Amino acid sequence: MSAPQLLWFRNDLRLADHAAVSAAARAGPVVALFVLDDDSPGHWQMGAAQRWWLHHSLASLAESLAAQGGRLVLRRGPAGVVVPQLARDIGAAAVHTLTHYEPWAKAQDAAVARALADTPTAFRRYHGVLLAPPASVLAGNGGRYRIFTPWWRKLQEQMPPARPQPAPAMAFAAPPMSDALADWTLLPTKPDWAGGFAVWTPGEAGAAARLQQFLAVAAAYDKGRNLPSQDGSSRLSPHLALGEISVRAVWHAVADAIPAAAAEPFLRELGWRDFAANILDQFPDHGDVPGRPVFDAIAFRDAPADLAAWQQGSTGYPIVDAGMRQLWATGWMHNRVRMIAASFLTKHLLIDWRVGERWFWDCLVDADLGANSLGWQWVMGSGVDSSPFNRVFAPVTQSSKFDAAGYIRQWVPELAPLRDADIHAPWEAEPLMLRAAGVTLGRTYPRPIIGHAEGRARALAAYAEAGAS
Ligand SMILES: Cc1cc2nc3c(=O)[nH]c(=O)nc-3n(C[C@H](O)[C@H](O)[C@H](O)COP(=O)(O)OP(=O)(O)OC[C@H]3O[C@@H](n4cnc5c(N)ncnc54)[C@H](O)[C@@H]3O)c2cc1C
């Protein structure tokens, strides 16, 4: 029998349309490996909500491999050490993996390449996480893009991406010893806060099913995606974050299902995912360092009580509270509400965007360093694309404009009996209306922790003081 091929899964937990899986399967008998590496990412190690997802996704991948007679080998430790060590132990002909763009993924790759240099084991990396490799989308002068629109236009030269490939048939080599998934304690126990996560079905089959569900409403995406009360976006983000479905499979499914003009707004959002990775590839510290240094001069507030109110969904702004409670309960928040909640923290409460970014990192099942840092820096206005700081989302206007009454009723049930006209800003409702709905401000639901005009003015003053306007 030929030497084994070590197939190293990372956040790409699928068998279909996975270039490393296909190449390893073609080359010989496979040893499939996943490494839980909490060392290399440093303070960006996987957060609690995504660890819940990872547990179920690994269980699902292990089942798919078992159905073909294989076994998923689990190891823990720095991948730059664990992968080459295992390659040596099994006498691997090659290590196959997809290229990822987080700074720690690059460090892992460099360490594996170093350790395998001058050994008989080849190290092979493949494109497959994004629509296009970040360094392949270049401006006329050969430089990289920092602004979405010209980047997106240029990307079109490579679109559509190649058609997705089916999962290959595989033969397996004898698997080495594996950790037991349960020993990794990825699931919460005391307390088990993941009860509301039952809305999700992690794994490759769950991702495919979610895509099919979305196709039924995809034609109405352009309007529906902005309405938190509707299920108008794909909710594929956690599946994409752990790579349970390839982005080009999503692209083609949507492009095939609906007319081009209706598909474009959705494909553009898939583009934002690539663009976020592209920015992170250029600015590896984008999760920690503002795109423009003046933002480090802002005197952010250290306000633990305000921060706790934001985290717990008790700011007194129904749309913000609904979003934060949805995040806590399900590990996901609607995109429009992410923008409103992030703006509220960074502008109204004048709390450092990195504090919110971290909370999202721990709570989101779709946590992705590129998308999360881009989202926070975009809302903050601190990004490398020079978006403005003085865009302060007005929570009440946003809430009524995007028809969030149903969403608020779902996540802030103590306000549910209020009329649509009152639910976005209960402190402006007639006392009679409040009483009829059983709402007592300050008792059954908080008063706003800060006024909109006051918060906005304070943020702009702090920004001016930093010397930026
Ligand atoms: C403050 C903030 C933080 C965010 N943090 C994350 C994060 O950690 N992980 C994450 O995947 N997205 C993040 N986003 C982007 C966006 O909110 C989510 O991707 C989206 O809500 C996921 O829902 P969906 O799958 O239904 O998206 P859809 O609207 O159906 O879009 C399809 C896919 O496109 C990608 N996408 C859409 N919008 C964006 C975007 N603005 N940036 C990057 N990719 C995008 C996602 O992979 C998404 O699944 C953040 C946005 C903000 C404002």
Side-chain angles (χ1 to χ4, degrees):
M1 203 170 196
S2 55
Q5 308 291 324
L6 184 55
L7 169 57
W8 173 23
F9 286 101
R10 303 158 100 168
N11 287 355
D12 43 45
L13 302 174
R14 66 178 183 272
L15 297 179
D17 198 35
H18 189 303
V21 170
S22 300
R26 260 194 319 272
V30 169
V31 169
L33 168 71
F34 179 83
V35 182
L36 179 62
D37 182 351
D38 283 329
D39 300 285
S40 308
H43 64 284
W44 289 114
Q45 67 170 233
M46 191 178 276
Q50 202 165 40
R51 289 170 108 82
W52 174 92
W53 193 288
L54 177 66
H55 175 98
H56 294 293
S57 194
L58 288 172
S60 161
L61 180 65
E63 233 174 75
S64 304
L65 290 166
Q68 295 201 50
R71 174 153 184 215
L72 180 62
V73 175
L74 302 176
R75 293 282 174 96
R76 190 167 197 165
V81 176
V82 172
V83 173
Q85 180 66 53
L86 187 62
R88 263 192 301 273
D89 290 351
I90 64 171
V95 172
H96 304 266
T97 198
L98 295 187
T99 303
H100 290 253
Y101 299 94
E102 290 84 3
W104 60 84
K106 293 177 183 176
Q108 289 169 336
D109 285 358
V112 172
R114 255 193 324 273
L116 293 179
D118 307 322
T119 75
T121 306
F123 182 34
R124 303 205 193 291
R125 286 178 295 157
Y126 307 87
H127 162 62
V129 169
L130 301 174
L131 292 166
S136 72
V137 187
L138 297 177
N141 63 5
R144 301 280 292 267
Y145 290 99
R146 295 172 170 208
I147 309 234
F148 178 79
T149 304
W151 170 87
W152 171 245
R153 217 175 291 130
K154 185 71 179 180
L155 178 74
Q156 299 316 306
E157 290 174 7
Q158 297 187 49
M159 296 296 108
R163 289 251 158 208
Q165 299 297 309
M170 299 166 93
F172 295 92
M177 263 176 35
S178 169
D179 292 354
L181 181 56
D183 290 347
W184 283 2
T185 57
L186 296 169
L187 299 177
T189 47
K190 288 180 195 154
D192 177 5
W193 38 256
F197 286 31
V199 294
W200 301 106
T201 309
E204 193 167 3
R210 182 63 230 165
L211 174 61
Q212 287 310 312
Q213 269 174 287
F214 174 59
L215 293 180
V217 298
Y221 174 80
D222 195 22
K223 185 147 184 276
R225 69 175 160 152
N226 265 315
L227 304 175
S229 301
Q230 291 185 14
D231 208 355
S233 70
S234 72
R235 301 195 184 211
L236 282 165
S237 53
H239 299 289
L240 283 165
L242 285 192
E244 296 170 347
I245 190 165
S246 77
V247 64
R248 62 186 188 179
V250 177
W251 176 292
H252 282 290
V254 173
D256 289 349
I258 58 177
E264 205 275 343
F266 179 79
L267 303 182
R268 181 180 274 265
E269 292 308 312
L270 292 182
W272 274 102
R273 176 176 174 274
D274 256 56
F275 183 68
N278 202 309
I279 292 293
L280 187 63
D281 183 50
Q282 295 180 67
F283 305 96
D285 56 6
H286 200 243
D288 298 288
V289 177
R292 280 167 288 145
V294 68
F295 282 83
D296 263 339
I298 293 182
F300 289 113
R301 294 170 64 237
D302 178 23
D306 286 357
L307 175 61
W310 180 79
Q311 290 171 330
Q312 291 160 11
S314 56
T315 65
Y317 282 88
I319 184 68
V320 174
D321 294 343
M324 298 308 293
R325 294 184 197 185
Q326 180 185 34
L327 174 63
W328 181 258
T330 68
W332 187 88
M333 195 197 297
H334 190 276
N335 179 59
R336 165 97 0 221
V337 190
R338 289 188 204 204
M339 294 191 282
I340 299 167
S343 174
F344 189 82
L345 182 80
T346 54
K347 309 280 171 72
H348 289 83
L349 299 183
L350 199 59
I351 290 177
D352 195 325
W353 59 277
R354 286 162 285 213
V355 175
E357 185 193 27
R358 223 140 245 298
W359 183 252
F360 271 32
W361 184 258
D362 207 34
C363 294
L364 280 171
V365 286
D366 66 20
D368 171 276
L369 187 64
N372 200 29
S373 61
L374 190 77
W376 280 93
Q377 294 229 32
W378 183 85
V379 168
M380 184 67 194
S382 61
V384 292
D385 62 349
S386 53
S387 54
F389 176 83
N390 56 9
R391 176 186 45 213
V392 178
F393 281 78
V396 174
T397 315
Q398 290 274 318
S399 186
S400 63
K401 179 171 172 200
F402 293 105
D403 206 6
Y407 180 73
I408 293 169
R409 287 197 178 92
Q410 182 180 0
W411 294 109
V412 190
E414 63 269 36
L415 298 180
L418 283 174
R419 302 179 312 165
D420 280 13
D422 294 329
I423 203 164
H424 308 289
W427 63 93
E428 286 174 358
E430 301 279 347
L432 211 65
M433 289 296 177
L434 289 176
R435 209 169 316 128
V439 175
T440 310
L441 291 179
R443 198 165 65 75
T444 63
Y445 183 72
R447 293 179 195 285
I449 57 175
I450 186 158
H452 170 58
E454 185 192 339
R456 185 173 190 283
R458 182 173 65 184
L460 295 180
Y463 181 56
E465 238 166 72
S469 59

